[in-house]
Amino acid sequence: MPFCKYLLLTLCVITMSCSKPSTTYDVVIKGGRVMDPSSSTDKIMNVGILDGQIAALSEEEMSGTTTIDATGLVVAPGFIDLHEHGMTDETYGIMVRDGVTTAFELEVGTDSVAKWYAAREGGRYVNYGVSAGHIRVRMNVLGDQGAFLPSDKAITDKATPEQIASMQSLLAKGLKEGAVGVGFGMAYTPGATVEEFEAMLTIAKQNKATSFIHARSGLDGIKEAITSATAIGTPLHIVHINSSGGAQTSEALQLIQEARDQGHDITTEAYPYEAGMTRIESALFDGWEQWSDEQIAIHQWPETGEFLNRESFARYRAQGGGIIIHSRTEAMTMTAIASPLSMIASDGFLADGKGHPRTSGTYSKVLGKYVRELKVMTLMEALAKMTLQPAQRLETFAPQMAKKGRLQVGADADITLFNADEVIDQSTYMEPTLAPKGIPYVLVGGKIVIQEGQLNEAVRPGVAIRN
């Protein structure tokens, strides 16, 4: 035997091992069913977390400063919500109980990206990001007096060429300040022409950003959005296809499929509720005086629970506020949720404990009702819609997202643990803040934010997601 090999063997015998010293991880998730849509992994394993990242996946025993017994639980990438309006501590603390670890305001967005991020510095329960929003920029340039959505000039006025140029400049500025996309709500700005819309899409294209749009109502609005985006040559994400498509959801999905078949980058999303919610003072309700009593009666005021009549609708419209709209059927919802084209996103909003149950129940409802009970998709398919696909939608422009939506070594340790046999939403239109069942642990950046179903208010590991 050569001397060097003899010496190495002797040293190994003396030290009893040639292997590397064992690692003590910050957190070990032990014995869970690890499910990762990006690799199709579905296996009982241990997960080792170190410095906010997934450092090890193995069937071998691991040592951790903190150990979570995940026996009987699914260990999945944290859920990514592309459509959330309640970007406050209140709503962050509610959505994380539903397994959400990263949330974005991409439809309405903001007209001041730098200020939006600055207001959230210092940590939040979940990761967060925003778009440069055409709605908000239009309100700014036209001098609209609305608070969150337009109430006057941004609804009615046609912009001048100079005003369009100002809007373009503000969107470009927002993208330079870190916005992760460009947001549109053409249904809320009927005064905006197709020419104005396409001028804004040009800014998105120049910056290689995706546009996120609440299209004008019905198939015509969806066709308009797809036609303009494909003409300009920029990626497009159509929000809440079940809400925009309504009774024509199948036809709307077909339009998206046809565009994709032609090579265009068009995606969409859906939420698992028959009722929507928006602001009663918005342009969606212009001309309500001509509605029938039956049409008015499908609207519900969340603060009192009352369904509206002509008198109460007029009173609350003058007051302003959120309103719930019971406008769709379960069949419409299922069509959107089950489609392989649709991601899952909540369109959530809550303020002072009032709002829509989708903020606290979207993901648990999909897992409990549509996967376990109705079996309209597999568990892995549902997880892909909640994790990998949203990450992929953003990661080209926002590279931080390439380390999210996956449960792999090197990925960020944003992780949701749930019991696939028990998980279900419990929130209702009258009690929209009720936590779901079956989600005992949620980690953000390797920190345990939800422990045994309870929010740890002292832990705020969420970071800003920017382009």
Side-chain angles (χ1 to χ4, degrees):
M1 177 184 295
F3 178 75
C4 60
K5 288 187 178 180
Y6 175 81
L7 178 61
L8 179 62
L9 177 60
T10 302
L11 289 171
C12 287
V13 171
I14 292 172
T15 60
M16 302 301 294
S17 175
C18 287
S19 62
K20 294 180 180 180
S22 60
T23 299
T24 298
Y25 297 98
D26 298 329
V27 179
V28 169
I29 302 173
K30 181 179 179 181
R33 179 186 175 186
V34 173
M35 297 189 70
D36 173 44
S38 66
S39 61
S40 299
T41 297
D42 185 353
K43 190 175 184 180
I44 303 298
M45 284 196 290
N46 303 315
V47 181
I49 297 168
L50 197 60
D51 297 328
Q53 294 191 336
I54 297 171
L57 294 167
S58 176
E59 296 177 75
E60 301 297 323
E61 288 292 321
M62 296 181 183
S63 175
T65 302
T66 298
T67 298
I68 297 172
D69 183 358
T71 304
L73 300 177
V74 173
V75 182
F79 307 149
I80 299 168
D81 192 345
L82 296 178
H83 192 165
E84 172 60 59
H85 298 301
M87 303 293 278
T88 65
D89 269 359
E90 177 188 14
T91 47
Y92 290 144
I94 289 171
M95 70 178 73
V96 72
R97 299 181 311 182
D98 197 33
V100 173
T101 57
T102 305
F104 294 93
E105 162 59 274
L106 299 180
E107 176 200 11
V108 177
T110 181
D111 60 341
S112 183
V113 172
K115 288 182 179 179
W116 191 95
Y117 280 114
R120 290 159 180 79
E121 288 180 355
R124 292 293 181 263
Y125 299 124
V126 302
N127 307 307
Y128 52 89
V130 73
S131 71
H134 172 250
I135 294 176
R136 301 293 305 174
V137 163
R138 193 170 213 272
M139 292 170 67
N140 181 326
V141 171
L142 272 64
D144 191 279
Q145 298 303 304
F148 180 61
L149 292 174
S151 64
D152 44 68
K153 293 181 180 180
I155 295 174
T156 59
D157 289 7
K158 180 179 178 179
T160 66
E162 293 76 18
Q163 288 171 327
I164 289 175
S166 293
M167 291 183 224
Q168 288 181 302
S169 178
L170 285 171
L171 288 183
K173 180 174 182 286
L175 291 169
K176 288 179 181 179
E177 292 174 348
V180 298
V182 177
F184 292 92
M186 300 299 283
Y188 296 109
T189 58
T193 63
V194 172
E195 291 75 19
E196 178 183 328
F197 176 43
E198 293 185 352
M200 304 306 128
L201 288 175
T202 299
I203 300 301
K205 180 182 180 180
Q206 290 172 355
N207 289 273
K208 300 181 180 179
T210 297
S211 294
F212 298 82
I213 185 169
H214 180 160
R216 302 190 219 259
S217 297
L219 283 183
D220 288 343
I222 294 168
K223 287 178 184 177
E224 174 189 82
I226 294 174
T227 299
S228 290
T230 55
I232 299 299
T234 188
L236 183 74
H237 182 85
I238 299 172
V239 305
H240 53 45
I241 195 67
N242 51 326
S243 178
S244 295
Q248 296 178 302
T249 295
S250 293
E251 293 86 344
L253 289 165
Q254 183 59 35
L255 289 175
I256 295 170
Q257 185 62 63
E258 290 170 359
R260 290 175 62 83
D261 290 343
Q262 294 168 15
H264 302 297
D265 186 0
I266 312 291
T267 55
T268 193
E269 67 185 43
Y271 59 82
Y273 293 87
E274 287 72 67
M277 185 178 184
T278 190
R279 302 284 298 186
I280 192 172
E281 69 271 22
S282 75
L284 294 185
F285 302 105
D286 288 354
W288 72 272
E289 296 89 346
Q290 283 71 54
W291 292 355
S292 67
D293 291 344
E294 290 77 13
Q295 189 174 0
I296 292 172
I298 67 171
H299 296 82
Q300 186 178 17
W301 195 247
E303 304 215 1
T304 63
E306 67 187 295
F307 283 84
L308 304 188
N309 55 35
R310 200 166 292 277
E311 180 278 327
S312 56
F313 194 101
R315 174 160 40 86
Y316 287 128
R317 182 161 164 87
Q319 171 186 320
I323 188 170
I324 295 169
I325 315 162
H326 297 268
S327 58
R328 295 184 301 277
T329 65
E330 168 64 10
M332 297 175 201
T333 302
M334 189 180 299
T335 295
I337 294 296
S339 170
L341 293 172
S342 63
M343 304 174 200
I344 304 301
S346 72
D347 192 12
F349 177 79
L350 281 170
D352 299 324
K354 299 296 182 182
H356 196 295
R358 59 195 177 194
T359 302
S360 50
T362 286
Y363 295 88
S364 49
K365 184 171 185 178
V366 170
L367 294 170
K369 179 176 180 179
Y370 293 97
V371 174
R372 184 179 66 245
E373 296 175 3
L374 300 181
K375 296 179 173 56
V376 301
M377 69 188 93
T378 68
L379 180 53
M380 189 68 85
E381 288 168 342
L383 290 177
K385 288 169 173 277
M386 299 173 174
T387 62
L388 180 63
Q389 292 173 18
Q392 290 173 330
R393 175 72 282 179
L394 291 173
E395 64 191 27
T396 300
F397 190 58
Q400 286 167 279
M401 297 305 295
K403 297 179 72 175
K404 299 191 182 298
R406 288 96 167 161
L407 220 164
Q408 298 178 347
V409 172
D412 291 339
D414 299 339
I415 303 174
T416 296
L417 283 69
F418 63 92
N419 187 324
D421 296 327
E422 295 180 359
V423 64
I424 196 67
D425 63 313
Q426 298 190 104
S427 53
T428 68
Y429 294 104
M430 290 302 94
E431 294 185 278
T433 66
L434 294 178
K437 288 177 60 179
I439 303 182
Y441 292 94
V442 179
L443 290 80
V444 178
K447 304 296 184 182
I448 303 173
V449 182
I450 299 296
Q451 184 167 6
E452 297 181 358
Q454 300 300 311
L455 175 67
N456 185 345
E457 296 184 7
V459 177
R460 293 169 175 259
V463 300
I465 306 296
R466 296 183 171 91
N467 73 58

